[in-house]
Amino acid sequence: QVHLVESGGGLVQAGGSLKLSCAASGSTLSIILMSWYRQAPGKQRELVASISSGGTTGYGDPVKGRFTISRDNAKNTVYLQMNSLKPDDTAVYYCKAHILRGDPYWGQGTQVTVSS
């Protein structure tokens, strides 16, 4: 079992920044990949960024150059630094943990709202 708790969401003006955190607990040694997804009202959930246990990162096209994913292994925490935020970034942001065997785990989500 892996338990994920996101934090750091909120309301920010366009052009501003936010940093999201995802703290993992439980069987964290089984995690091979951590990802951030987001879902806006009426839209499908989409991949924002991912980071492997080895530190390899990947980003969705809409956030490349603006968002940075990182991890602190000592704290079992993954971060998403979001800069130059746009109203289109408004969504619920979810943390996802991919494990070696079994279904992935999801956090409860944190709301990010970017005002124009």
Side-chain angles (χ1 to χ4, degrees), residues 43-110:
K43 294 187 177 180
Q44 287 188 330
R45 193 170 294 191
E46 65 174 355
L47 174 67
V48 176
S50 62
I51 185 166
S52 71
S53 56
T56 301
T57 59
Y59 297 91
D61 286 341
V63 307
K64 283 181 180 176
R66 298 189 297 123
F67 291 11
T68 303
I69 189 170
S70 61
R71 64 191 300 161
D72 184 333
N73 291 329
K75 296 182 178 180
N76 290 317
T77 300
V78 173
Y79 304 98
L80 185 68
Q81 177 67 47
M82 305 185 295
N83 298 328
S84 302
L85 283 162
K86 306 174 182 178
D88 283 349
D89 295 318
T90 295
V92 178
Y93 283 70
Y94 298 91
C95 182
K96 181 180 181 182
H98 307 253
I99 60 174
L100 192 58
R101 292 185 182 87
D103 294 330
Y105 292 89
W106 290 90
Q108 83 287 352
T110 185

Side-chain angles (χ1 to χ4, degrees), residues 13-51:
Q13 287 189 331
S17 299
L18 279 176
K19 187 174 185 177
L20 306 183
S21 300
C22 172
S25 60
S27 302
T28 57
L29 291 179
S30 65
I31 298 173
I32 57 174
L33 184 75
M34 294 288 291
S35 303
W36 285 98
Y37 281 74
R38 67 185 182 186
Q39 187 165 21
K43 294 187 177 180
Q44 287 188 330
R45 193 170 294 191
E46 65 174 355
L47 174 67
V48 176
S50 62
I51 185 166

